[in-house]
């Protein structure tokens, strides 16, 4: 809110009216006093105070400005939240030179880190799934209430675990001062038997025990294309063709979705080290971090699945999603508020 400024229309008010209105507006907008307190101070009714404040706005005596950091788009954020029934939607400015082939905007991770700092409460269990966006988010964390941090999926390449999901879990736990439960295993295994054997190993089984306790999860979203979906890149050409024939449009935490948000290729989950979709659906807050026009349709598909309650994305994706037909599912509204 700016300082009070008398516009042309305000000049029609008499000097006593102007002075009183300015004083009341200062008490209300700048000093935070209630209308009842102001009424008592000036010896008038609270209804008159309300009328004076309303007149001050109408006649340009008071100007209210709502400011957020330049990189955040509050209008698109609110429109996206309402359209998709999300609990939180945070939209950041797309890079000026962004193209359809551009990767996720680099500032998504930092904004998502700040969002997690708001959403996570002391004693919570934070789950982190594999994904470049979640890795960038963890690297940007600077504050986090004390919580337990658990890895929700295996890694893209076990040889790079220390630089990927495992390091993200450790980083988040270090910032929060809580315990870390990483998973030292690939996300995708050759067959269901190998995956089952790994799930029974002590360290991995201990991490899985926390899945039902997760209160806030951070996930990434991939399109079913080379270089944009880690699962796509781990499969053989024959396997990719098979799942493509099922209409796969998006992937999240090794779960596949068609354009309408329906899960397809469920057999793939038997070969994966990942949190089950039903468990994800029970987590009160699931934050997806994904942007870039190349992922826009995939993000829309995952939103339709109802598994995600909040989204951090960019303006280009927001514009795409706001022109699509909204999903029937309203995930955040169908789950209990984590703060209740």
């Amino acid at each position: 809110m700016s300082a009070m400024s008398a516009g042309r229309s305000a000049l029609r008010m008499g000097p006593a009216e102007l002075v009183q209105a300015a004083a009341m507006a200062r008490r209300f907008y700048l000093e935070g006093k209630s209308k009842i307190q102001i009424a008592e101070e000036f010896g008038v009714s609270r209804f008159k105070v309300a009328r004076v404040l309303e007149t001050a706005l109408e006649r340009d005596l008071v100007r209210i400005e709502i400011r957020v950091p330049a990189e955040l788009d509050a209008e698109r954020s609110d429109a996206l939240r309402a359209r998709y029934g999300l609990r939180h939607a945070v939209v950041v400015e797309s890079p000026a030179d962004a193209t359809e082939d551009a990767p996720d905007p680099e500032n998504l991770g930092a904004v998502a880190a700040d969002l997690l700092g708001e959403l996570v409460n002391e004693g919570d269990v934070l789950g982190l799934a594999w994904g470049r966006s979640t890795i960038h988010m963890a690297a940007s964390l600077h504050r986090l209430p004390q919580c337990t941090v658990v890895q929700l999926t295996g890694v893209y390449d076990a040889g790079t675990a220390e630089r990927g999901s495992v390091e993200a879990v450790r980083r988040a736990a270090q910032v929060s001062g809580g315990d870390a439960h990483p998973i030292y295993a690939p996300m995708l295994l050759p067959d269901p038997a190998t995956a089952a054997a790994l799930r029974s190993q002590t360290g991995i089984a201990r991490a899985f025990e926390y899945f039902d306790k997760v209160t806030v999860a951070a996930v990434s979203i991939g399109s079913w294309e080379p270089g944009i979906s880690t699962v796509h890149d781990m499969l053989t050409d024959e396997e990719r063709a098979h799942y493509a024939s099922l209409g796969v449009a998006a992937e999240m935490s090794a779960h596949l979705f068609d354009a309408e948000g329906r899960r397809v290729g469920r057999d793939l989950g038997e070969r994966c080290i990942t949190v089950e979709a039903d468990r994800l659906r029970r987590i009160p807050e699931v934050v997806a971090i994904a942007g870039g026009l190349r992922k826009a349709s995939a993000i829309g598909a995952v939103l339709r699945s109802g598994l995600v309650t909040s989204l951090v994305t960019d303006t280009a994706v927001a514009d795409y999603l706001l022109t699509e037909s909204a999903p029937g599912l309203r995930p955040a509204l169908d789950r209990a508020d984590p703060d209740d």
Side-chain angles (χ1 to χ4, degrees), residues 142-181:
H142 296 291
R143 64 181 181 90
L144 202 61
Q146 187 171 37
C147 63
T148 299
V149 186
V150 60
Q151 194 169 322
L152 296 179
T153 64
V155 299
Y156 173 53
D157 181 349
T160 64
E162 295 297 327
R163 302 189 300 276
S165 321
V166 170
E167 177 55 31
V169 169
R170 285 179 170 172
R171 166 69 182 168
Q174 180 184 35
V175 172
S176 76
D179 294 332
H181 295 277

Side-chain angles (χ1 to χ4, degrees), residues 232-245:
H232 179 282
D233 293 346
M234 286 189 283
L235 295 172
T236 65
D237 289 341
E238 183 179 357
E239 289 170 331
R240 292 187 195 114
H242 165 66
Y243 291 116
S245 71

Side-chain angles (χ1 to χ4, degrees), residues 1-2 64-70 72 74:
M1 184 192 74
S2 68
I64 297 176
E65 295 179 2
I66 299 173
R67 294 182 178 178
V68 295
L72 298 182

Side-chain angles (χ1 to χ4, degrees), residues 1 12 23 30 32 38 45 74 78 109 120 128 133 135 143 208 213 226 234 240 246 263 277 283 289 293 302 311:
M1 184 192 74
R12 299 194 206 104
L30 298 183
I38 297 169
S45 71
D78 188 56
V120 175
L128 301 181
S133 297
I135 291 170
R143 64 181 181 90
F208 267 64
K213 303 173 185 177
M234 286 189 283
R240 292 187 195 114
L246 301 179
R263 286 186 59 212
I283 296 174
I289 311 162
L293 275 175
V302 172
L311 175 68

